Amino acid sequence: MLVTYAGDERTPFDRDHWIDVHFPLVRESWGPYGLVSAAGFFPQGDGAGLIAVGVVHFRDEAAMEAALQAPETARIMADVAIVTAVQPQRSVVQPL
């Protein structure tokens, strides 16, 4: 799953919190549901309107759906509000 945040250089986004607090929370919360890995990066250059991209890899689609429906997801989403006011967009990516 890709989690993208749209914006530009003026969009408030706490990079340190996102990397140092949010991703450990994601790993802890969704690990029991089949999370394989979670990481984030910040596009360089114009970023095509993106200020941050999270790559969240689950064992399979069923694991992803279970994690998204889990009670722990509310805590993850509440933490996003600490990072930024931008609403993240989720996209499911299937390997070829």
Side-chain angles (χ1 to χ4, degrees):
M1 175 173 65
L2 294 180
V3 181
T4 57
Y5 296 84
D8 60 26
E9 66 278 353
R10 294 178 307 274
T11 305
F13 194 94
D14 187 338
R15 290 178 171 212
D16 291 333
H17 184 94
W18 195 56
I19 295 298
D20 298 334
V21 177
H22 187 73
F23 277 103
L25 174 62
V26 167
R27 290 184 199 102
E28 174 188 325
S29 299
W30 286 347
Y33 297 96
L35 177 72
V36 174
S37 63
F41 69 92
F42 306 101
Q44 298 297 310
D46 68 10
L50 295 177
I51 55 175
V53 177
V55 180
V56 186
H57 179 209
F58 289 94
R59 177 182 61 238
D60 53 32
E61 193 167 349
M64 180 187 71
E65 291 300 330
L68 291 173
Q69 298 302 316
E72 295 88 346
T73 299
R75 189 168 159 218
I76 292 170
M77 296 311 296
D79 191 64
V80 168
I82 296 170
V83 174
T84 184
V86 173
Q87 290 300 307
Q89 301 296 310
R90 293 185 201 130
S91 303
V92 177
V93 179
Q94 296 289 335
L96 296 175

